[in-house]
Amino acid sequence: MKSKIDRKSFLKATALLGIGSIAFGSKAKGLFAEPMVYSVNDIKPKDGKYELPPLGYAYNALEPIIDAQTMEIHYTKHHQAYINKLNEAIDKEPSLKNKSLEELLLNLSSMPASVKSVIRNHGGGHWNHSFFWKSLKTGTNMGSSFSKLANSSFGGVEEFKSTFEKIAMGVFGSGWAWVILQNGQLKITTSANQDNPLMDAAAVPEMMPKVILGIDLWEHAYYLKHQNKRADYVKGFWNAVNWDEIEVLLK
Ligand code: MN3
């Protein structure tokens, strides 16, 4: 029988057991004997192929923070390239076509060696960008669920923002900064390349959280508009966050 566990009840269960994120480490593979199904961002191949998800808005919708040309190239070229490489990998390992992308990433350390690095880099790229596009919208305001958590976790919304900006500015080279929810607290963390907090094999073993927000810190995400000024992009990002979507994630 397949178990179907949503993130909320799973986190609740792990919190009750007091096992927290350590249960997601490579020594706890037994937890993944049954497939986990997520209610949010459950990305699966369609007829054996992953597809570019609908963007849901125009390329210029996030101007001036993210310019239309960057959006178009980022979405149609970079994101599509991750999907193409991921599809090549699952063509080699057809058994993986029955699983969701989340399952592949959560179980990265047990993926077949022939495709592991492709799933990490390109599967990660597909998940990260699918999540990122949904996180973006102009004209929304931070909701009460998030601001309460920012207060309890960071001592205030401004403290949260300045901490996030500092951490995002500190990511060396290509990577991401993330806001995650773990044991009822918001945390900020980073990952290199296309790693993300779902990956049990990534260099962020303390995390198996609910991902709330992420910012793409690869230069392709901002260079056309902001050139070397990553700070302009990171500070502008707050006005491009889809706070309504974040309230949905926190429900
Ligand atoms: Mn990118």
Side-chain angles (χ1 to χ4, degrees), residues 74 82 129 176 194 216 218 220:
H74 201 173
Y82 296 124
H129 289 84
W176 292 74
Q194 296 297 348
D216 188 342
W218 286 54
H220 68 227

Side-chain angles (χ1 to χ4, degrees), residues 1-131:
M1 193 180 123
K2 289 183 179 182
S3 63
K4 182 163 182 163
I5 309 168
D6 68 33
R7 283 182 172 166
K8 208 174 209 174
S9 57
F10 188 83
L11 286 173
K12 204 171 166 187
T14 54
L16 284 171
L17 289 166
I19 53 176
S21 58
I22 200 159
F24 291 90
S26 56
K27 288 177 184 151
K29 284 198 186 81
L31 277 177
F32 297 117
E34 296 290 329
M36 290 175 62
V37 179
Y38 281 82
S39 56
V40 180
N41 276 305
D42 192 20
I43 303 168
K44 279 193 165 144
K46 199 171 151 188
D47 297 327
K49 297 278 179 200
Y50 286 96
E51 291 178 350
L52 198 60
L55 192 56
Y57 42 80
Y59 297 135
N60 67 357
L62 305 167
E63 298 256 15
I65 304 126
I66 301 173
D67 61 287
Q69 191 185 11
T70 296
M71 270 309 299
E72 182 170 3
I73 296 169
H74 201 173
Y75 173 70
T76 65
K77 305 293 184 192
H78 291 273
H79 190 173
Q80 184 66 59
Y82 296 124
I83 292 169
N84 294 346
K85 293 282 186 188
L86 176 61
N87 282 333
E88 287 172 22
I90 63 169
D91 278 344
K92 284 190 216 162
E93 292 287 344
S95 63
L96 301 180
K97 293 186 181 188
N98 302 321
K99 299 185 183 300
S100 71
L101 182 55
E102 285 82 358
E103 282 178 83
L104 304 189
L105 300 181
L106 285 163
N107 296 286
L108 187 63
S109 62
S110 32
M111 287 296 113
S114 59
V115 294
K116 191 187 286 188
S117 69
V118 179
I119 288 171
R120 181 173 189 162
N121 293 329
H122 298 279
H126 181 27
W127 194 93
N128 294 350
H129 289 84
S130 301
F131 182 84

